[in-house]
Amino acid sequence: MKSSVRKLERVAVAQAPSDRPDKAEVEQAIRTMIRWAGDDPARDGLRETPDRVARAFEEYFSGYAQDPTEILQKTFEEIEGYDEMIVLRGVRFESHCEHHMAPIVGRAWVAYIPQGRVVGISKLARVVDVYAKRLQIQEKMTAQIANTINDVLKPEGVGVIIKATHHCMTTRGAHKPGTDLVTSRMLGVFRDNALTRQELLGLANSDD
């Protein structure tokens, strides 16, 4: 039941709302923000900034237009019985925190133990990007990646570890540069088997 609920949530968030503003409205909002900051959006250096920012936001938040479950649909079953851990290490991503819209920059370690089929490794990286390119908190993003892989591939287990620097922590507020946040989500054998979990944690730590 939980799996079905998560799937419905993913589909719903990927659909653009009917009241989504057009690009002209976004650019006007950016001009307002520039005036609020104390500058003149009509001056030469800022005249094209609203267009640039709007296009940048389209890239930053492109994950809302993608369904990560579709990315994982194509799998391969000719694996000669392979049933050991598969780990994609250090997948770099850029996201934005939903509280301050400040950048989150980090890396993800994505692991699973297959049960009769595997997926192309680039697809794992794409799932990370889909969730990263949305307004996020790291804890939720970690769970979303693991839950999606678990729901679609139905492996023996999934483990996801994320290490990231949050600019809302390092460049504003607390102003603590050099800090990072580490989160993990362990499902199946990664949760139930301490040795399997430790193997993944060791691979993640050795990649620092």
Side-chain angles (χ1 to χ4, degrees):
M1 180 66 179
K2 289 183 179 179
S3 173
S4 299
V5 170
R6 284 199 294 268
K7 183 174 182 181
L8 288 172
E9 288 175 346
R10 286 194 295 270
V11 172
V13 78
Q15 294 174 342
S18 58
D19 60 347
R20 184 183 183 190
D22 60 26
K23 189 166 178 284
E25 291 178 89
V26 174
E27 291 180 15
Q28 185 54 49
I30 295 164
R31 292 187 189 94
T32 299
M33 291 178 66
I34 292 171
R35 290 199 304 273
W36 177 80
D39 214 321
D40 178 9
R43 70 175 175 84
D44 284 346
L46 291 173
R47 191 171 295 147
E48 297 181 20
T49 296
D51 172 65
R52 294 190 187 102
V53 173
R55 285 188 284 114
F57 272 38
E58 285 181 333
E59 180 179 346
Y60 295 157
F61 305 125
S62 60
Y64 286 111
Q66 302 176 63
D67 181 357
T69 63
E70 293 183 0
I71 294 171
L72 298 172
Q73 291 304 311
K74 184 176 181 180
T75 59
F76 305 95
E77 297 182 1
E78 295 181 0
I79 58 174
E80 297 295 328
Y82 185 88
D83 59 0
E84 299 294 331
M85 189 184 304
I86 297 169
V87 188
L88 187 61
R89 303 195 302 170
V91 181
R92 191 182 187 279
F93 68 86
E94 303 90 27
S95 189
H96 287 78
C97 87
E98 63 184 41
H99 300 143
H100 304 95
M101 297 183 74
I104 303 170
V105 180
R107 294 188 297 162
W109 286 256
V110 181
Y112 71 102
I113 296 178
Q115 188 166 234
R117 58 179 179 152
V118 300
V119 70
I121 57 174
S122 67
K123 303 301 190 295
L124 299 175
R126 286 183 60 196
V127 170
V128 172
D129 277 342
V130 167
Y131 284 118
K133 292 186 180 300
R134 300 178 181 183
L135 291 169
Q136 277 292 11
I137 63 170
Q138 185 174 324
E139 296 89 341
K140 180 174 71 174
M141 177 178 162
T142 306
Q144 287 174 325
I145 295 167
N147 291 343
T148 298
I149 294 170
N150 191 61
D151 291 349
V152 178
L153 298 185
K154 303 190 184 308
E156 295 287 345
V158 179
V160 175
I161 299 169
I162 293 181
K163 304 177 183 181
T165 297
H166 293 242
H167 284 228
C168 60
M169 173 79 170
T170 62
T171 63
R172 63 159 301 281
H175 288 281
K176 299 298 180 185
T179 61
D180 64 2
L181 181 67
V182 181
T183 53
S184 66
R185 172 76 158 170
M186 304 292 171
L187 301 173
V189 294
F190 287 95
R191 179 184 290 269
D192 300 334
N193 189 312
L195 291 176
T196 302
R197 182 169 61 253
Q198 192 58 45
E199 182 180 353
L200 173 58
L201 293 170
L203 287 169
N205 292 330
S206 67
D207 206 38
D208 284 340

